[in-house]
């Protein structure tokens, strides 16, 4: 199932948290200019999570819990009600910046190719306009290869079975950065602890590792 879910972004100030953290008074679509001023961008198009600006973002989780608090509220108030039952969710979301002239993800893939369980569903949440070559591209059915761009605005998120559907992005030719998070969710009744680990975070697919549980 592929769905676009809408939410009230004023209730979940992700963008405010990011702008304050990066000390950047302009729109997030120009974040590449900030990063080029503060940090040199890495060469190559396959450095999904290894640029200095990504590391700067993930330092939020160690030094400032505000973003994670907003994230938890989002999962509690938007995501769990969508399922109507207890869920397991990615404890810390994955951060993406789709720079102009670059890729946000190094290759077209299914998450199951990186040990993710098929029961997971992906929530993709852009904080900037996502369109044309700066957005996510997704096939409609498993192995069909009919990739489609999903144009979304802040206040919308894309839900899809990332373990089954191949997805990726194209070189961003829009001239603006796309900034987003994504995370994985499954119904708690489908959860089975695994010793397999995530590619980026190197965490086992277990509650207390890659996952947290949201019950009640």
């Amino acid at each position: 199932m592929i769905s676009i879910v809408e939410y009230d972004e004023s209730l979940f100030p992700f963008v405010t948290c990011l702008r304050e953290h990066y000390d950047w008074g302009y729109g997030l679509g120009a974040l590449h200019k900030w990063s080029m001023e503060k940090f040199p961008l890495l060469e190559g198009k396959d450095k999904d999570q290894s640029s200095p600006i990504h590391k700067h973002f993930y330092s939020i989780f160690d030094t400032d819990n505000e973003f994670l608090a907003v994230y938890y509220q989002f999962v509690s108030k938007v995501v769990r009600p969508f399922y109507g039952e207890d869920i397991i969710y990615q404890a810390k979301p994955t951060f993406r910046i789709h720079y102009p002239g670059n890729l946000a993800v190094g290759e077209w893939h299914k998450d199951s190719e990186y040990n993710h369980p098929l029961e997971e569903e992906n929530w993709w949440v852009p904080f900037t306009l996502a369109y044309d070559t700066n957005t996510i591209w997704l096939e409609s059915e498993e192995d069909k290869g009919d990739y489609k761009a999903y144009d979304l605005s802040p206040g919308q998120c894309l839900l899809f079975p990332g373990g089954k559907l191949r997805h990726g992005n194209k070189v961003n030719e829009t001239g603006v950065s796309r900034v987003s998070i994504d995370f994985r969710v499954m119904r708690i009744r489908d959860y089975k602890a695994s010793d397999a680990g995530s590619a980026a975070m190197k965490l086992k697919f277990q509650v207390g590792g890659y996952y947290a549980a949201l019950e009640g």
Side-chain angles (χ1 to χ4, degrees):
M1 178 183 68
I2 302 173
S3 302
I4 294 178
V5 179
E6 298 192 355
Y7 68 96
D8 185 348
E9 60 177 325
S10 69
L11 299 178
F12 307 98
F14 289 114
V15 172
T16 300
C17 292
L18 286 175
R19 289 173 66 176
E20 289 177 353
H21 183 73
Y22 284 111
D23 189 25
W24 179 246
Y26 301 97
L28 291 181
L31 192 58
H32 56 283
K33 297 180 181 179
W34 182 93
S35 66
M36 285 187 285
E37 293 171 0
K38 300 283 185 177
F39 302 119
L41 298 184
L42 296 182
E43 294 183 358
K45 299 176 180 177
D46 58 349
K47 307 296 184 182
D48 293 358
Q49 296 291 298
S50 60
S51 77
I53 198 169
H54 284 83
K55 294 176 182 178
H56 190 62
F57 170 82
Y58 289 121
S59 72
I60 297 174
F61 302 151
D62 298 322
T63 62
D64 182 355
N65 291 324
E66 183 180 4
F67 190 93
L68 279 182
V70 175
Y71 172 61
Y72 176 77
Q73 288 300 312
F74 183 82
V75 174
S76 300
K77 303 299 184 183
V78 176
V79 177
R80 188 186 179 281
F82 184 88
Y83 292 95
E85 59 183 287
D86 296 340
I87 60 172
I88 301 295
Y89 68 98
Q90 186 175 329
K92 296 179 180 179
T94 303
F95 182 56
R96 312 279 184 192
I97 304 175
H98 197 170
Y99 296 113
N102 214 316
L103 298 172
V105 178
E107 62 181 353
W108 299 86
H109 66 284
K110 303 176 186 178
D111 287 1
S112 56
E113 296 170 345
Y114 295 96
N115 300 320
H116 285 262
L118 290 173
E119 293 82 5
E120 282 183 349
E121 291 186 309
N122 294 44
W123 287 71
W124 187 76
V125 187
F127 302 139
T128 56
L129 290 175
Y131 61 97
D132 195 32
T133 55
N134 78 7
T135 192
I136 191 171
W137 290 66
L138 178 67
E139 60 183 356
S140 64
E141 299 177 16
E142 189 169 10
D143 297 325
K144 192 168 184 179
D146 57 338
Y147 299 107
K148 171 187 172 181
Y150 282 83
D151 295 353
L152 274 73
S153 301
Q156 296 180 310
C157 46
L158 184 68
L159 168 64
F160 65 96
K164 299 176 182 178
L165 301 184
R166 195 170 298 279
H167 52 284
N169 52 234
K170 298 188 176 184
V171 174
N172 179 1
E173 298 178 349
T174 65
V176 296
S177 289
R178 181 260 292 167
V179 181
S180 61
I181 58 170
D182 53 80
F183 56 93
R184 286 119 194 101
V185 175
M186 74 174 79
R187 293 168 175 83
I188 202 167
R189 55 186 164 88
D190 294 329
Y191 166 68
K192 299 179 183 65
S194 171
D195 287 331
S198 63
M201 297 183 180
K202 310 301 181 186
L203 296 172
K204 291 183 178 180
F205 292 121
Q206 298 177 6
V207 172
Y210 187 81
Y211 298 122
L214 187 58
E215 305 175 73

